[in-house]
Amino acid sequence: MKPVAFAHAAPREVPAALQLLSEVDAVALAGGQSLVPQLNLRKVRPRAVVDLNRLTELDHLDIGDSAVRIGAMTRMRALERDPGLRRALPVL
């Protein structure tokens, strides 16, 4: 089965994404591993899909003396390859 028709938006700033998500019957798309199968099976029927992948301000890794901050859109692969993170949090 294929998903029902929907609008697609790919904002580049968080406020724009939040505005889109609040205005219409929309769902957020980050990785798609959960959402895409639900769309295909028509378990989810949004009017719009807001693609979060261009939100570069949420893609960051900050390693400080006492804390590590990982942005919501930071890819697992980036974390796996970061030597600074490996030193700061070897258990991760």
Side-chain angles (χ1 to χ4, degrees):
M1 205 179 290
K2 293 296 175 192
V4 297
F6 55 81
H8 177 266
R12 295 184 183 272
E13 297 175 350
V14 171
L18 293 173
Q19 184 70 32
L20 287 165
L21 288 167
S22 70
E23 285 181 353
V24 296
D25 177 24
V27 293
L29 171 68
Q33 291 181 340
S34 299
L35 180 61
V36 172
Q38 290 181 12
L39 288 169
N40 283 336
L41 294 172
R42 296 187 178 194
K43 290 184 175 185
V44 177
R45 297 171 179 241
R47 287 188 181 173
V49 172
V50 180
D51 188 341
L52 305 180
N53 286 292
R54 293 187 181 169
L55 299 178
T56 57
E57 62 191 286
L58 297 182
D59 180 7
H60 62 86
L61 174 61
D62 302 319
I63 302 171
D65 292 336
S66 62
V68 173
R69 293 176 183 244
I70 301 170
M73 292 301 297
T74 305
R75 303 283 190 263
M76 291 298 295
R77 192 67 178 146
L79 300 177
E80 291 172 353
R81 292 182 172 185
D82 191 279
L85 182 61
R86 188 173 294 126
R87 284 190 298 276
L89 288 173
V91 70
L92 205 82

